[in-house]
Amino acid sequence: MTERKPLILIANDDGFEANGIRSLAQMVAPLGEVLVCAPDGGRSGFGCAFTADHPLRLIRREPIGDVPVWSCSGTPVDCVKIAIDQLLDGRIPDLVLGGINHGDNSTVNNHYSGTMGIAKEGCMKYIPSIAFSSCDYNPKADLSPLTSYVQQICRMVLQHGLPKGICLNVNFPAGSSFEGIRVCRMTWGRWVKEVDKCHHERGYDYYWMVGYYENDEPEAEDTDQWALSHNYVAVTPTNIDVTAYDYMKTLEDYIS
């Protein structure tokens, strides 16, 4: 009996037509059987949100080569949920991938990112999961230089798996060549000046959510921001369990 190829489910938060997801599907097609289910439009910043207040639609789209493509009217997490429930004939993916995102998802962006929401959703279903993002915000960027790294990381995870409750956040610097891969931690930083207040000519105020990122530890060499600023691919293992174990005993003492 012929052994089945690994089943790889891909979603994103830039929409099914985005260059990043099309590039990723082509990169990993040699590694297994691939299915794309992605939002029908941009859903950046949706994190782990899912839809509970209205019904969703699934539409079959033009394939990417031999890779079938579906769009969903919901969030990136909705795409993972609905693909596993409705499109895979009872099979569970061997790998869930998010991306390739057009924009950096390192540091605290991890918590806002729909791309990371995909990886976290797969991880919460005990499926090895990876989010891929590029610091090149150009929606038409040539992402082919990422191919060997994407394939290397996916092959590693397909071979060795990932521990329960851990997914990978992979960020690429902008550019056509890289110094290598660095396994690193999330940088402590924050967004500042996040609200731009404007006044409409009809007499009311309105607001744009914008902001600037401040790295609070620019000299630390073990962080994802340091890796990216020095042209390394940053791979950050991310926990689903957010319990602050180191603080539990102190908190118990305070409460008692």
Side-chain angles (χ1 to χ4, degrees), residues 52-249:
D53 61 349
H54 60 267
L56 302 177
R57 292 197 64 198
L58 269 176
I59 299 176
R60 187 75 179 258
R61 303 291 185 170
E62 287 293 318
I64 302 171
D66 294 328
V67 175
V69 176
W70 292 79
S71 72
C72 171
S73 59
T75 71
V77 164
D78 288 332
C79 293
V80 177
K81 291 179 181 293
I82 204 166
I84 292 175
D85 191 81
Q86 295 291 313
L87 300 178
L88 298 181
D89 297 323
R91 292 180 67 187
I92 300 299
D94 298 284
L95 191 61
V96 169
L97 303 179
I100 297 170
N101 190 66
H102 296 288
D104 172 13
N105 279 318
S106 66
T107 184
V108 293
N109 295 340
N110 182 312
H111 297 292
Y112 302 116
S113 165
T115 309
M116 275 304 297
I118 293 160
K120 290 173 181 176
E121 179 65 21
C123 189
M124 286 188 282
K125 297 183 183 302
Y126 308 121
I127 303 168
S129 301
I130 312 167
F132 291 106
S133 304
S134 170
C135 292
D136 192 333
Y137 284 79
N138 180 358
K140 297 181 180 180
D142 177 13
L143 299 174
S144 60
L146 283 58
T147 302
S148 63
Y149 294 92
V150 167
Q151 291 179 346
Q152 177 186 348
I153 293 167
C154 288
R155 284 194 176 102
M156 179 273 293
V157 172
L158 284 170
Q159 180 180 355
H160 299 289
L162 289 169
K164 176 182 175 181
I166 293 178
C167 56
L168 299 184
N169 182 17
V170 180
N171 286 274
F172 289 87
S176 59
S177 62
F178 313 108
E179 295 296 321
I181 296 176
R182 298 263 302 203
V183 176
C184 44
R185 64 176 175 86
M186 189 177 81
T187 309
W188 281 104
R190 62 219 147 86
W191 286 88
V192 298
K193 300 180 181 178
E194 295 182 89
V195 181
D196 186 12
K197 180 180 179 180
C198 305
H199 188 75
H200 197 276
E201 60 184 11
R202 295 186 178 179
Y204 59 86
D205 294 330
Y206 63 98
Y207 306 87
W208 287 105
M209 301 305 293
V210 288
Y212 303 90
Y213 176 76
E214 285 191 358
N215 184 343
D216 292 330
E217 45 178 352
E219 303 305 320
E221 297 184 5
D222 60 342
T223 68
D224 50 13
Q225 282 284 291
W226 188 95
L228 292 170
S229 66
H230 289 78
N231 204 40
Y232 285 93
V233 180
V235 179
T236 303
T238 300
N239 280 309
I240 295 299
D241 183 350
V242 295
T243 306
Y245 290 100
D246 292 343
Y247 185 64
M248 288 178 66
K249 181 61 169 64

